[in-house]
Every structure is written in C-alpha cells, then in structure tokens.
C-alpha cells in the first residue's frame, strides 16, 4: 500500500513537534503539511526545522481547508475548540482524524460525535501502548476487587498543562467505573478541599499534581484494609504518544466513519 499522507495540527506545539518526527520516521506515512492558528509566529516555518530533523521544504499553514484536500489523515493534539473545528472539516473531507487533545467540554464532545458520521476518528486521552495496557488492567482489577477497595487516581504533569484531571486520568477513571459496572459521572470526586467529611464508599477520586517538566505519570490506587494495590505508568518521552498517533492513523485508513479508541487500535 502507498504511504499514508498525514498532516500535523498545532505543528509548533510540544506534541506537534513530536508528531512531525514520528511521521517523518515512519516508513508507512509521509508528511504533507502542518497547521497553526492564524496569527501564530510559526506560520511559514519549515516543519522539519521546527521538529529538529532538518529542512523538509514543507511549511506551517493557517489554511486547513486547502491542506485537507491533500491529505488522508490529520494528527491533532491542539486545544478543545480547535479540535472541534477540525473535526467538522475532517468530516467534510471524509478523512481520518486522530484526536489526542484533552480537556473537552460537553459541547465539543457533541461536535466531535456529529463529525464522526463522516470522519473516521480515533480519540484517546493517551495514545501510548503502556497507558492503554494500564487502562485494560485497571478495568480488570476494579472488576476483581469489591467496593472495600477505595479507588484513587493520582497524576502528575509538567507546569504548562492546562487541563485537569488529565485525559489519561479520566480514561483510567472510566475503566475503573466500567470494571465496577457503574457510571463514572455518578462516582467521580475530582477535587477535595476543606471539611469534606469521610470518604463515600464507591467514590472514584482524582488528585492532580503539576510541576517542572514531567511528561506524564499516572497511578491507580486500590486501597483496602491492610493492603494496597497500585498500578503505575511513567512516560519519559513524548514520542510514545506520537508513535501511537501514527499507528492509529494507519489502522484507521479505510475503516468506516465512527469514533474508535486506542484500545480498538491496539486490540486490548
Ligand atoms: N492523547 C495523548 O496521548 C496526549 C495528549 N496530549 C494533549 O495534547 C494537547 C496539546 O498538548 P501540548 O502539545 O503539550 O500543548 P502545546 O500548547 O504545546 O501545543 C498545542 C499547539 O496547538 C496550537 N493551536 C492552538 N489552536 C490551534 C488552531 N486553531 N490550529 C492549529 N494549531 C492550534 C497551539 O498554538 P498556540 O500556542 O499559539 O496556542 C500550540 O502550538 C493537550 O490537550 C494535551 O493534553 C498531550 C500528550 C499526549
Ligand atoms: O498534556 C500533556 O502533556 C499530556 N496530556 C495527556 C493527558 O491529559 O492525559 C496525555 C499525557 O499524559 C500527556
């Protein structure tokens, strides 16, 4: 099969640069362009120079419509509003949309869901193999242990992260809730402060730490009487997410429109 023509949204961002490297290094894909928002100082810059792989002769654009006519898939780790916009355009172009962005509100989720009638979307709060394995394990452990084991999800990220809890923490929370056969929305406790009273049985708690250059760390704690089980993933290199995103695009090529998860891609 020919190389898949991919473009990177938010090409100058931390993940944008990692994605450029991952597409450039994959023998099954070819980089055809990248975007930043209108007015960004990155417009016109060479994608390869941004990513540190040497000039590629492909430049950052603020015109996604023109770019989408030339590509089969887009890798999008930008912001919730930008991603909801791109989902509509990807649907018009009937292309693959890999969504790594996190921090969506309800209305963004609805816009993405309607775009999935025409676009083939792979969406996950974390595209690494390790975290998706952790997600599957979390579901299994939550199903095996009863409510006497309190579930708490602790995450830490770099000081620039803007959303909390992280997309990964929420993914792990969904997996824990699914293992327990309950809805996360009815049991999630996303922050605690002041006189909270004792912990409610069945709560799924979240704790958020931010600082330094931490790429991403997640621990799911199952705390019982006299013992504690902890499952941890530590990311030390953003390329794990970028390689996962390329894998997702290649997997989605030729699949019918809809929303798929990284667990679908990895068969977990
Ligand atoms: N699913 C996963 O595996 C992972 C997900 N993420 C998620 O990816 C997202 C991005 O993270 P990160 O790279 O650290 O963030 P950055 O802020 O470094 O990158 C985002 C980039 O998108 C740009 N951008 C904003 N709006 C638009 C637009 N309309 N069109 C094009 N580009 C735009 C930003 O530009 P500007 O700075 O000018 O606003 C910026 O360059 C976050 O939501 C994060 O949580 C991160 C890692 C892994
Ligand atoms: O913003 C980040 O950096 C990350 N975001 C994702 C998340 O919200 O979980 C994935 C990864 O942990 C890095």
């Amino acid at each position: 099969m020919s190389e898949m023509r991919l473009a990177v949204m938010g090409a100058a961002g931390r993940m944008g640069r990692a994605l450029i490297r991952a597409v450039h290094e994959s023998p099954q894909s070819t980089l055809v362009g990248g975007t930043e928002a209108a007015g960004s100082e990155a417009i016109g810059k060479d994608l390869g120079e941004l990513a540190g792989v040497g000039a590629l002769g492909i430049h950052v654009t603020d015109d996604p419509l023109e770019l989408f006519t030339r590509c089969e898939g887009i890798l999008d780790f930008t912001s919730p509003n930008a991603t909801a916009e791109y989902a509509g355009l990807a649907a018009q172009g009937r292309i693959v949309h890999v969504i790594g962005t996190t921090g969506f509100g309800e209305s963004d989720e609805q816009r993405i869901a309607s775009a999935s009638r025409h676009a083939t979307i792979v969406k996950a709060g974390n595209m690494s193999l390790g975290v998706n394995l952790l997600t599957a394990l979390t579901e299994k452990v939550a199903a095996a242990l009863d409510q006497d084991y309190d579930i708490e999800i602790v995450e830490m990220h770099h000081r620039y992260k803007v959303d909390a809890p992280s997309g990964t923490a929420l993914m792990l929370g969904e997996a824990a809730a699914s293992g327990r056969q309950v809805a996360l929305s009815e049991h999630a406790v996303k922050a605690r402060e002041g006189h909270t009273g004792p912990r409610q049985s069945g709560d799924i708690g979240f704790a958020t730490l931010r600082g330094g250059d931490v790429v991403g760390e997640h621990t799911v704690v199952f705390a019982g009487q006299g013992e504690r089980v902890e499952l941890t993933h530590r990311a030390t290199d953003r390329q794990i997410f970028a390689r996962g995103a390329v894998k997702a695009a290649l997997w989605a090529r030729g699949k019918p429109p809809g929303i798929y998860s990284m667990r679908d891609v990895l068969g977990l």
Side-chain angles (χ1 to χ4, degrees):
M1 207 189 275
S2 60
E3 290 168 20
M4 185 173 186
R5 284 172 281 116
L6 295 176
V8 173
M9 308 298 99
R14 279 175 290 275
M15 278 307 300
R17 293 167 201 241
L19 290 161
I20 293 168
R21 286 194 290 277
V23 177
H24 180 63
E25 283 162 14
S26 164
Q28 291 157 282
S29 64
T30 188
L31 187 65
V32 294
T35 66
E36 275 290 334
S40 162
E41 55 186 40
I43 303 298
K45 290 201 171 148
D46 188 285
L47 294 180
E49 284 178 353
L50 275 176
V53 296
L56 296 173
I58 311 165
H59 300 96
V60 179
T61 177
D62 59 4
D63 182 0
L65 273 180
E66 185 282 324
L67 177 58
F68 287 18
T69 62
R70 296 188 281 114
C71 67
E72 297 166 87
I74 57 170
L75 310 179
D76 178 359
F77 292 58
T78 55
S79 70
N81 190 48
T83 295
E85 287 288 326
Y86 284 136
L89 300 179
Q92 283 174 37
R94 307 302 199 251
I95 61 175
V96 169
H97 189 182
V98 175
I99 300 178
T101 309
T102 58
F104 293 109
E106 195 46 46
S107 72
D108 304 316
E109 296 280 9
Q110 279 168 13
R111 288 166 76 189
I112 293 167
S114 36
S116 72
R117 280 182 276 137
H118 301 296
T120 304
I121 296 175
V122 182
K123 179 171 175 285
N126 196 303
M127 302 251 163
S128 74
L129 173 61
V131 158
N132 283 278
L133 197 57
L134 178 69
T135 307
L137 290 172
T138 297
E139 189 171 346
K140 271 198 186 338
V141 177
L145 299 176
D146 62 25
Q147 288 208 169
D148 274 351
Y149 287 79
D150 298 325
I151 302 178
E152 295 283 311
I153 299 169
V154 186
E155 55 113 334
M156 181 159 187
H157 284 86
H158 52 94
R159 61 169 67 120
Y160 303 106
K161 185 158 178 66
V162 294
D163 56 308
S166 69
T168 310
L170 294 171
M171 221 168 94
L172 293 166
E174 289 289 355
S178 154
R180 279 193 170 167
Q181 299 185 301
V182 297
L184 180 63
S185 56
E186 287 168 22
H187 295 274
V189 177
K190 293 186 178 162
R192 294 187 181 101
E193 192 190 22
H195 186 85
T196 61
R199 194 182 196 282
Q200 297 290 306
S201 172
D203 280 354
I204 297 178
F206 293 84
T208 301
L209 286 76
R210 293 286 176 267
D213 61 356
V214 177
V215 174
E217 300 191 357
H218 295 86
T219 296
V220 186
V221 181
F222 296 86
Q225 294 295 314
E227 66 176 353
R228 198 160 77 233
V229 178
E230 297 184 355
L231 303 176
T232 295
H233 179 270
R234 290 195 178 88
T236 54
D237 184 348
R238 285 189 177 81
Q239 287 309 125
I240 61 170
F241 312 126
R243 284 195 296 268
V246 173
K247 187 188 270 266
L250 295 170
W251 176 89
R253 194 184 196 185
K255 292 266 187 315
I259 298 197
Y260 301 90
S261 72
M262 208 54 200
R263 283 175 74 179
D264 295 325
V265 174
L266 297 169
L268 294 169

